[in-house]
Amino acid sequence: MVQTFTQLETISLEVPNSIALTVTGDQFEALVFANPDLRLERTAQGELIVNPPTGGESSSRNLSISGQLGNWCETHEDLGEGFDSSGGFILPNGATRSPDASWVSRARWEALTAKERKGFVPLCPDFVVELRSASDSLSTLQTKMREYIDNGARLGWLEIYRQQAEVEILANPTELSGEDVLPGFVLNLRRVWR
């Protein structure tokens, strides 16, 4: 006899850090759509990552970064598309990631089909930002930034990540340049570090 469920059943599950949950791409997509309030990511090996909500200070800092990038995108819309932390990207290595802020060049965005633009975007952004919150391990974020660069990102900010270059660590910068990736974009860090 086959049992048919007519109503979704919700369960709670606590998983120790030492246990990794792996999911296929299709399972990951089903989880995301069934749990729209969760921030989920998937590694290239299929490991499910649940990102907890950030605190007020991290959220305010992220809004400053996203707002400044968004303003630049509005005045340079012919150059590409910007994304906030809710945007998911399927990287060439198979991981599904959601940077805190990101940007894709116009040519790469226009090369996508309408269906690809609506779902998880099947490419690595040209530019990514990861903001470290209290619940984030620096080494985990550094690995994630290296993954973005290895999958095609041209510029990344946690520290400064670039293609074929050593990571650059700046001491107390007041602003960051978008360089040739985001021409004319300068992130004012005054509100980010307050």
Side-chain angles (χ1 to χ4, degrees):
M1 179 165 99
V2 176
Q3 186 176 8
T4 307
F5 295 96
T6 57
Q7 190 175 26
L8 287 177
E9 194 174 314
T10 303
I11 61 169
S12 295
L13 177 66
E14 288 189 40
V15 180
N17 289 339
S18 61
I19 297 175
L21 295 177
T22 58
V23 293
T24 67
D26 289 341
Q27 290 170 330
F28 178 75
E29 190 171 322
L31 277 169
V32 168
F33 290 113
N35 298 281
D37 296 333
L38 294 180
R39 291 200 56 217
L40 302 172
E41 291 182 311
R42 180 179 174 267
T43 67
Q45 296 74 34
E47 182 181 344
L48 180 66
I49 299 169
V50 180
N51 295 307
T54 63
E57 287 181 355
S58 289
S59 180
S60 178
R61 290 179 181 129
N62 198 53
L63 177 64
S64 179
I65 293 168
S66 294
Q68 290 180 63
L69 178 61
N71 289 338
W72 179 85
C73 287
E74 290 296 320
T75 59
H76 297 83
E77 66 181 282
D78 56 317
L79 297 180
E81 293 290 328
F83 303 90
D84 68 10
S85 62
S86 63
F89 295 87
I90 301 173
L91 305 185
N93 70 356
T96 303
R97 297 295 194 174
S98 298
D100 288 324
S102 57
W103 179 84
V104 173
S105 70
R106 176 65 53 213
R108 294 180 71 221
W109 181 251
E110 295 293 331
L112 298 170
T113 66
K115 183 178 179 182
E116 289 171 327
R117 291 180 199 170
K118 288 184 185 202
F120 299 129
V121 181
L123 55 73
C124 183
D126 295 277
F127 169 71
V128 294
V129 178
E130 287 291 347
L131 181 64
R132 185 176 177 202
S133 63
S135 64
D136 292 324
S137 139
L138 179 59
S139 64
T140 298
L141 288 179
Q142 289 169 327
T143 299
K144 191 174 178 183
M145 290 301 294
R146 179 52 49 203
E147 180 180 45
Y148 289 131
I149 295 298
D150 291 347
N151 279 271
R154 296 169 41 212
L155 178 64
W157 293 344
L158 168 67
E159 293 127 338
I160 311 299
Y161 290 76
R162 300 177 187 93
Q163 289 286 318
Q164 286 111 27
E166 291 294 317
V167 174
E168 183 179 358
I169 300 173
L170 303 174
N172 302 314
T174 57
E175 60 185 30
L176 294 174
S177 167
E179 303 175 6
D180 62 337
V181 178
L182 303 169
F185 178 56
V186 176
L187 178 69
N188 180 336
L189 292 168
R190 181 184 58 80
R191 284 190 44 86
V192 176
W193 300 137
R194 66 183 172 112

